[in-house]
Amino acid sequence: MRNRGRPVAALVSSLALVWSFLALPAAAQAAPPAPAATPPMGFNNWNAFGCDVSERLIKETADVLVSSGLKDAGYQYVNIDDCWSLRERGPDGRLVPDPAKFPGGIAGVADYVHDKGLKLGIYGDAGTKTCAGYPGSLGHEELDAQTWADWGVDYLKYDNCNNQSDGSQEDYIRRYTAMRQALDKTGRVIVYSICEWGTSQPWTWAKGVGHLWRTTGDISDNWASLRSIIRQNAPLAPYAGPGHWNDPDMMEIGNGGMTATEYRTHLSMWAMMAAPLIIGTDLRAASAETLSILGNRALIAIDQDRLGVQGAVVSDGNGLMVLDKPLANGDRAIALYNSTDTLATVSVATGLTGLRPAGAYRLTDVWSGAETQVKSTISAGVPAHGTVVYRVRPLRDPAGVAPAVAVGAELGTVVPGPTGGGTLTTTVTNRGVGAIRDVSVAANVPEGWTATPTPSPERARLATDATLRTTWRLDVPAGTPAGHYPIDITASYRWGPRHRPATTSSQIIATVVTAPEDGRRHLSTISPVTSANATGPVETDQSNGGALENDGNLITIAGHVHQRGLGTTTGSELRYYLGGRCSRLVTDVGVDDEAQGGPATFTVYADDTAAATSGPVAAGEAPKPLTADLTGAAWLRLVADSPTPGTHADWATPILTCGDVPDDSPTLPESQTLFSFESGTDGFTIANPGDGGTVAPSPLFHTQGANGLAVSTPVAGNWFGRTLAAPVDLSGRTMLKFDLKAGDVGTVGEIAVQVGESFTWCQGGLWTWTNPHSSRTVTERFDQISCPVGVTLDRSDIRAVWVFLNTGGEVLIDDIRAE
């Protein structure tokens, strides 16, 4: 046989090279990278767009990932979430992309994304239908996995709605393992994201099944949600590692519900927790600030570090947390996290971290790039809701590196006027090796304010770990509006043998309080000046369920349900500034039905005088009414106490009266009830007759009047509501609400409206989950409700209102309303 092309000698040489390569030990051969060896990075459309997903959106997002530099920073997955398919499978049983949304099909989108050097993700559900009611994959695992593989999909987010589950961990393992096996059978590498909301503690079983697993419920674009998720995910460090990651959900950075400081905390803590970095904002319209936060390569390097260790919690108390994460090059990443509402000095001794002993340490701030040195304590003044992250390594010669100087401050409430003002305390602490000299501190207050220091805000010399403490008297002009005002604290000093000048600054936010305006209002609509609680946060318009935000039920005392109130535990105190302008507080008090305990004693203080007290109230006892005379009081205090702190203690429907108003004046904010079910079902029907469901009046649950509505829900869910007899004008209203109590299997709650003569369907997409036998108010802001392109949600022309319920059990609802 003639050898064509290369000489025989060259061919023999090549074969020898191939044979020698094959003969190498397996470890010496270049193996393909393992899936999700570092936490996945990319984009998902849900947080910003909900069901409004399309081929155009995905392609344009891929373009921006490339043009913005985010692809080069490590973001590679472009993930499609729910609502991408038709409502029914095709004749062959396969999932069918919606041709209106994806005219080129998913395979065409995959080709486009791959050509950009990116990867494509898709969404599925381990139930009969997705959370938005599209076909689920339960019982179709192999067919769907092969379909996605054939299309070129690289990533699967696998949700948990309509799951037919008995609630056992064994069922969760079975359903999610079925898809794992189906993906393996395709032969295609597909990163597998388990999205069962942490329900079955997947961190204890999902390693080897999924590459990442959700540890919490859905994130929302607000500080309370972010703080709660950090608290839930941070302790799970032992369960994470290369190829198996704790997933605290997609990022909200850039969506507008939080401050830049909070968004920096978002990325900082996700990176420290080795979390997947999945962008959830419209990158096509992202601001330079948003792109700068998302593209912080120093933080991304910490998240993507090949060692693959989630940062461990070193200390956690009083809202301050320190995380320590080892890095592959021997550095440590140290995060100082402040979840409180004011500037705080967060510190950790180097000996409590994994740093090896040294005479000094170099700190590199991953946000500013500044380099400083410390002797034995890492410390910083961290703004409210902020996080400082350092890369830290031992330092042999600290003489040429500036010392770390922590500037802190404390400030109580500020009241305008000659008899008010406030007290500011500042601290300057030298943490570096060697003394600093000519130390002075200045407080830059808003125009018109004055800050008078005592003692002198100067010190000639400040040794290592020494502190300069200064107290300032603040005077604030009368008439200053209530609000938040920044005060910059700047320390100036000289350091090193050459006496180099340097400054360090922190910012504290002064809270100016003024008395409430005239009127009768629900106390839960007024923010307390201070709030202390024995267990978790004080909850607004719900009970205190436990340690996390928004984990309670509707306030329920001896079977009576309240829409408004404050959920506390015994061992709590709330303070409100009244300024001598309020006359009365009326409230019911009692121990919540959700958790037996007590007894609890409730006391209302007008300044330091007890204006009303309940005496001991036992669990199961009917609520006790309290009326407190607050005439002339500057401060209102609510105290719940008992011999056993932690009893769930409710202030139910507290109404504060201020100014000269009649007793029968309306209570603010006013609600406009749309459906109350007092005379029957109010004509409720189902939007999709083929999907099933029934309604009937019921006295078993009511938050207004004596009756509610019992809804028998289909497993996959349906919309319940009706067309209104005449258009309703909801101009001036900002949100829609309804109250519900779930049965044995829990439910998703959602709200939609139809508007205009065409009865256009507009929907929010929040899909609020309520656990079995739990209750809550489902809320949808009008600015969260999306209409089809070209349609404006005209609040003056509401034609129909619908609520979505699912999971195949009975759900009780009442009082569908606008506020």
Side-chain angles (χ1 to χ4, degrees), residues 470-488:
T470 307
T471 300
W472 308 72
R473 165 69 189 181
L474 295 183
D475 290 296
V476 180
T480 300
H484 303 287
Y485 297 81
I487 297 177
D488 293 316

Side-chain angles (χ1 to χ4, degrees), residues 46-101:
W46 185 259
N47 285 357
F49 298 94
C51 275
D52 191 17
V53 63
S54 67
E55 178 177 315
R56 178 181 176 181
L57 170 63
I58 298 303
K59 288 182 175 180
E60 290 180 350
T61 298
D63 294 342
V64 176
L65 283 171
V66 174
S67 64
S68 66
L70 290 174
K71 171 181 176 286
D72 292 340
Y75 294 94
Q76 62 174 327
Y77 292 98
V78 190
N79 296 342
I80 301 167
D81 211 282
D82 204 351
C83 314
W84 59 267
S85 73
L86 291 179
R87 292 279 182 179
E88 303 294 337
R89 291 175 176 269
D92 58 357
R94 292 181 182 271
L95 296 166
V96 181
D98 186 334
K101 295 180 178 180

Side-chain angles (χ1 to χ4, degrees), residues 486-651:
I487 297 177
D488 293 316
I489 314 298
T490 301
S492 302
Y493 49 91
R494 297 181 180 275
W495 65 274
R498 299 174 61 183
H499 304 291
R500 300 177 186 179
T503 61
T504 301
S505 295
S506 292
Q507 186 179 85
I508 190 167
I509 304 300
T511 300
V512 173
V513 296
T514 56
E517 296 180 359
D518 289 356
R520 298 175 69 244
R521 55 180 43 83
H522 295 285
L523 188 62
S524 60
T525 64
I526 302 174
S527 296
V529 174
T530 60
S531 173
N533 203 45
T535 304
V538 172
E539 300 284 10
T540 299
D541 297 334
Q542 62 178 296
S543 63
N544 178 278
L548 304 176
E549 282 93 350
N550 300 314
D551 60 359
N553 297 289
L554 290 173
I555 288 173
T556 308
I557 305 173
H560 185 73
V561 182
H562 297 259
Q563 293 175 335
R564 296 284 188 178
L566 301 165
T568 72
T569 60
T570 50
S572 62
E573 177 178 298
L574 293 86
R575 294 173 66 244
Y576 300 83
Y577 180 66
L578 304 182
R581 297 194 64 258
C582 301
S583 58
R584 185 170 61 178
L585 177 75
V586 178
T587 183
D588 288 341
V589 297
V591 175
D592 197 275
D593 290 354
E594 73 183 0
Q596 296 300 305
T601 298
F602 300 80
T603 306
V604 181
Y605 288 90
D607 292 328
D608 293 323
T609 301
T613 187
S614 67
V617 183
E621 187 176 347
K624 286 193 175 181
L626 296 181
T627 299
D629 183 356
L630 305 176
T631 304
W635 292 91
L636 163 67
R637 285 194 296 137
L638 305 182
V639 176
D641 217 339
S642 77
T644 55
T647 297
H648 293 221
D650 295 335
W651 301 85

